[in-house]
Each structure stands twice: as C-alpha cells, then as structure tokens.
Amino acid sequence: MKQQEVFKAMADPTRRAILKRLQDGALTAGEIGETFDITAASLSHHFAVLKRADLVRTERRGQFIVYSLNSTVFEDLARMLFDLFPGRGRSGDQS
Amino acid sequence: MKQQEVFKAMADPTRRAILKRLQDGALTAGEIGETFDITAASLSHHFAVLKRADLVRTERRGQFIVYSLNSTVFEDLARMLFDLFPGRGRSGDQS
DNA sequence: GCAATATTTAGATATTTGTCTAATTATCTA
DNA sequence: TAGATAATTAGACAAATATCTAAATATTGC
C-alpha cells in the first residue's frame, strides 16, 4: 500500500470529483469526462494517478474502458487516518 | 472546513511525519525540527500549511511556539472519506 | 482491411510547491 | 538596552504536476 500515492491522488479536486462520480457505479472514461471541462488526455492522466494509488479499477469492455471505485482501499485509507489521529480507539503503527 | 487545504496538507510526507510526531503531545517548533533534516525556514513553511488546514494549533509560550494536533478536524476528515467512499454505512453528501 | 470511435501516450508549457539563504520579528536575560 | 535564542517572512530556484495539442494504440463495424 503506497501511502504517498494515495494521499497525493486525493490531493487534487478533479480526482476527488472523479471518485465521487464513481460512487453511483462504474462508468466509462468518456462518461466521466462529460462532467469535466478538461481534455480527454488530461482526464487520462488523472485516471493513471488514481490507478497507481489503487483507488480505482479498470476493465476493458470492447472499445470502452470502464472505471470503478476500488472500495477495498477504504480500509487502508481509514487505517492511515486513525494512525495519524490516534487517541480515538486504535493504537497500531506502521507508517 | 477547507477540504482542499486539508488534502493538500496531508499529501506531503514531511507534514504527515510532523503530525505523527505530535501524537505524543505538544512540541515546540524547535523540538519538532530536531527530527527533520531540513532548515527551520522550510519547517516553518510546513507548519503554515498545516495551520491553514487547521490540522494543528499553536500557542506562544514565551520565546517558543508550541504546536499541537487539532484532533477536532479528525471528524471532518473522516466525514470526507466516508463521503468519498460510501456504501459502508453512511450516505450524506456536501462536497 | 479501412474508417470511425474511445482512450492513452508523448512532448511542451505554465503553475505550484518544497527547499534554501538571508533578513526580520519576538522574547528572554544579563 | 544589547545580545542571544526561537521562529517566521521574503525572495530565489529547482522539481513536480496539471493542462494542452498532436500522435499513437485498441476496438468495432462495414
């Protein structure tokens, strides 16, 4: 789990908006792009960052590439937070 | 609550390390600095970012400035996450 | 195989950001 | 008040990054 990649990925508002759009289910790159006012190339860059952080999964469906939230990282993400802000129940480390 | 400031602040490894150092209690800028191999000026910049994100609180104690974790933002941070990765119990919005 | 569509990759550029040195501000103590 | 110590601010610079246009790759359907 690349903590740094995850935090970096979350630091951009466009990428957080992408994650938010994926909450209601998987979407193709193009469908996601409709909502944003940037080129497909820029979007693709953001997808790459999200993938590297393992925040989204991809699956090719014919001509399209379908993106979906990888909710399994949620646990890791939560763990990181609890690790950074303790005194709330947990204690473990592993930075 | 400036979501963007918070995520940006968390995106830097030095700043996360600062937060971690503060887990065991408040420390002066100098004490925190001992652990890091960067100048006081650079550290000060990181403090400014953390303050802007409301992740730390400061208090002048004589010659020193004491930093401490602001654990109240934890709730906001957690809320942001639950908001980004739903289907785990909560639903609310407010991006 | 070829044209059309979907997406990514390559390369360029402007902005942001982390770091540094030097200078400034605030506080203490002699 | 002067000197020392703690920390921040100012200004410069290099590295990282978000964006763009143009070109490349993958897939479909004729």
Side-chain angles (χ1 to χ4, degrees):
Chain A
M1 147 80 15
K2 296 138 296 180
Q3 199 176 38
Q4 180 56 20
E5 306 295 329
V6 175
F7 280 115
K8 274 275 189 65
M10 307 270 292
D12 183 87
T14 299
R15 288 193 287 268
R16 290 200 305 277
I18 291 172
L19 293 177
K20 204 130 182 51
R21 272 228 68 194
L22 289 174
Q23 284 179 4
D24 301 324
L27 292 170
T28 69
E31 287 170 329
I32 297 172
E34 287 166 11
T35 321
F36 299 94
D37 212 18
I38 58 180
T39 64
S42 298
L43 226 355
S44 199
H45 155 71
H46 287 303
F47 290 146
V49 175
L50 288 169
K51 272 189 76 172
R52 203 171 334 123
D54 208 34
L55 286 164
V56 300
R57 288 278 161 74
T58 63
E59 175 201 347
R60 168 142 249 159
R61 197 167 318 183
Q63 212 169 354
F64 305 89
I65 292 184
V66 179
Y67 283 87
S68 55
L69 266 194
N70 174 14
S71 46
T72 74
V73 282
F74 177 81
E75 267 101 42
D76 302 292
L77 212 38
R79 209 181 338 273
M80 290 180 204
L81 274 197
F82 278 106
D83 198 47
L84 240 25
F85 291 85
R88 295 267 172 176
R90 270 191 70 272
S91 60
D93 57 296
Q94 151 261 41
S95 179
Chain B
M1 146 81 15
K2 296 137 299 183
Q3 199 177 38
Q4 180 56 20
E5 306 294 329
V6 175
F7 279 115
K8 275 274 189 66
M10 308 270 291
D12 182 86
T14 299
R15 287 193 287 270
R16 290 200 304 278
I18 291 172
L19 294 176
K20 205 131 182 51
R21 272 226 67 193
L22 289 174
Q23 284 180 3
D24 302 324
L27 292 171
T28 68
E31 285 170 330
I32 297 172
E34 288 166 10
T35 322
F36 300 95
D37 212 19
I38 60 180
T39 65
S42 298
L43 228 354
S44 200
H45 155 71
H46 287 304
F47 291 146
V49 175
L50 289 169
K51 271 189 79 171
R52 205 174 329 127
D54 209 33
L55 287 164
V56 300
R57 289 278 162 74
T58 63
E59 177 202 347
R60 166 141 248 157
R61 198 167 318 185
Q63 213 169 355
F64 305 89
I65 294 184
V66 179
Y67 283 87
S68 55
L69 266 194
N70 174 14
S71 46
T72 74
V73 281
F74 177 81
E75 267 101 46
D76 302 291
L77 212 37
R79 209 181 339 271
M80 290 180 202
L81 274 196
F82 278 106
D83 198 48
L84 241 24
F85 291 85
R88 295 268 172 176
R90 269 189 73 272
S91 60
D93 56 296
Q94 152 261 37
S95 177

